[in-house]
């Protein structure tokens, strides 16, 4: 069966706090473990009031400590914001604390706005253009240390930490293929180049000591509820969040509304609808049909499910429904 995994942004609903978000994320991860999801990834974002996972490695440790078997990782660490040595040490530490359970997904975007990017990087000269070299340096730090090696990751050197490249364009697809690494495409918010990126990755893949054949994961937003109407209403929280972000007004996750068309003009709605076109919203039957169609079209090796909702109870129910239909809809 195609594995299903979860991408969590540690959403902070209006009227709540990051502490609430962390408790909710741990609760969801514990349920996900019971429901048979393979991975639980957290994403690095900065200066966004509705996302609490900025210190991604710390939150990964929190979730890993509260679970037992599910893989916990980053979806992803925005590598240009960090030195490769620091990330090797952080994930070497996590892998030492939680053996065979830690994934390291890497992105090359900053995960924030330009002003915050400058605050993150301070006097560092690196840019996204240095991403391929940074990835190579990070891989070096996870390799067994050579005798006399002056700079090494402790812990980190010699540890097996699966490294994924994440992307929403052809760039990371090509780099993942060249380095022989698994690849995750962010189709849940940037669907434009999904098909060509998967084709490029699969056609150009070069086997490595980390991966023998291409392995592609696709992100997809899935909002499931007991009725189509309820699911569409819950989905309006995500739609509002996207619209607010595009307006330059990121905030906490808003509560659902009855009429999204009253919230924004048609042109604005069209742009958000396109960004969220890799979404399946509805009851179990609707979600079953939507997932079957997506899998038939793109043939992913794994799905990364996203559901950034206002209500924690609704989020739990959504992932529960997806787990219930998973085995019926996703044979290889």
């Amino acid at each position: 069966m195609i594995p299903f995994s979860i991408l969590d942004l540690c959403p902070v609903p209006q009227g709540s706090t990051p502490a609430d978000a962390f408790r909710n994320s741990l609760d969801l991860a514990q349920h996900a473990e019971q429901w048979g999801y393979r991975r639980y990834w957290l994403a690095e974002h900065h200066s966004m009031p509705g996302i609490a996972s900025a210190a991604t490695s710390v939150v990964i440790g929190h979730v890993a400590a509260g679970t037992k078997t599910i893989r916990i990782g980053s979806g992803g660490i925005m590598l240009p914001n960090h030195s490769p040595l620091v990330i090797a040490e952080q994930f070497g530490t996590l892998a030492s604390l939680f053996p065979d359970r830690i994934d390291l997904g890497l992105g090359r975007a900053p995960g924030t706005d330009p002003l915050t990017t400058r605050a993150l990087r301070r006097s560092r000269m690196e840019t996204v253009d240095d991403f391929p070299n940074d990835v190579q340096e990070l891989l070096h730090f996870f390799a067994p240390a050579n005798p006399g090696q002056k700079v090494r990751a402790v812990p980190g050197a010699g540890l097996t930490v699966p490294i994924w490249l994440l992307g929403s364009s052809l760039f990371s697809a090509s780099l993942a293929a060249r380095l022989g690494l698994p690849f995750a495409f962010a189709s849940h918010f940037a669907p434009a180049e999904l098909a060509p990126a998967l084709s490029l990755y699969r056609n150009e893949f070069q086997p490595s000591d980390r991966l023998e054949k291409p392995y592609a994961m696709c992100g997809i937003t899935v909002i499931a509820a007991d009725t189509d109407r309820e699911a569409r209403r819950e989905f309006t929280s995500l739609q509002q969040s996207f619209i607010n972000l595009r307006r330059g007004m990121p905030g906490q996750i808003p509560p659902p509304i009855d009429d999204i068309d009253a919230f924004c003009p048609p042109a604005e709605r069209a742009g958000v609808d396109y960004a969220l076109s890799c979404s399946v919203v509805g009851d179990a039957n609707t979600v079953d049909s939507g997932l079957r169609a997506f899998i038939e079209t793109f043939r992913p090796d794994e799905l990364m499910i996203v559901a950034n909702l206002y209500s924690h109870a609704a989020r739990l129910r959504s992932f529960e429904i997806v787990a219930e239909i998973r085995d019926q809809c996703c044979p290889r």
Side-chain angles (χ1 to χ4, degrees), residues 17-38:
T17 68
D20 297 321
F22 298 141
R23 284 191 289 270
N24 290 340
S25 288
L26 178 56
D27 184 53
L28 175 57
Q30 290 169 337
H31 280 86
E33 188 170 71
Q34 296 171 11
W35 293 331
Y37 286 91
R38 174 169 290 187

Side-chain angles (χ1 to χ4, degrees), residues 107-282:
R108 70 185 186 106
T112 189
D113 59 88
L115 184 62
T116 305
T117 299
R118 289 195 291 273
L120 282 167
R121 298 179 186 174
R122 306 294 288 181
S123 60
R124 292 184 69 219
M125 302 301 293
E126 288 85 352
T127 69
V128 294
D129 295 329
D130 298 296
F131 183 67
N133 291 332
D134 286 345
V135 173
Q136 293 274 27
E137 185 177 349
L138 182 60
L139 291 169
H140 164 74
F141 283 129
F142 277 119
N146 296 315
Q149 183 175 325
K150 298 297 184 182
V151 180
R152 61 182 68 191
V154 182
L159 295 180
T160 301
V161 178
I163 293 179
W164 295 66
L165 293 193
L166 284 55
S168 57
S169 69
L170 302 183
F171 183 93
S172 290
S174 178
L175 182 61
R178 177 160 55 87
L179 297 180
L181 296 175
F183 176 59
F185 192 88
S187 34
H188 58 288
F189 71 84
E193 294 187 296
L194 172 57
L198 291 177
S199 178
L200 184 152
Y201 171 67
R202 288 162 174 159
N203 291 334
E204 296 188 2
F205 182 84
Q206 300 177 25
S208 70
D209 57 357
R210 286 180 170 266
L211 193 64
E212 293 183 357
K213 60 182 181 179
Y215 191 95
M217 177 159 56
C218 296
I220 182 170
T221 295
V222 182
I223 310 299
D226 294 322
T227 67
D228 282 346
R229 181 177 181 181
E230 181 184 353
R232 287 193 296 267
R233 189 173 189 276
E234 294 294 342
F235 186 51
T236 62
S237 291
L238 181 58
Q239 292 171 307
Q240 291 175 81
S241 294
F242 264 73
I243 291 166
N244 288 336
L245 182 61
R246 292 186 169 206
R247 290 174 176 174
M249 300 185 300
Q252 293 183 326
I253 308 301
I257 55 178
D258 292 327
D259 185 8
I260 191 64
D261 290 327
F263 183 78
C264 61
E268 200 171 28
R269 169 73 186 276
V272 170
D273 284 349
Y274 179 73
L276 296 175
S277 58
C278 285
S279 298
V280 180
V281 180

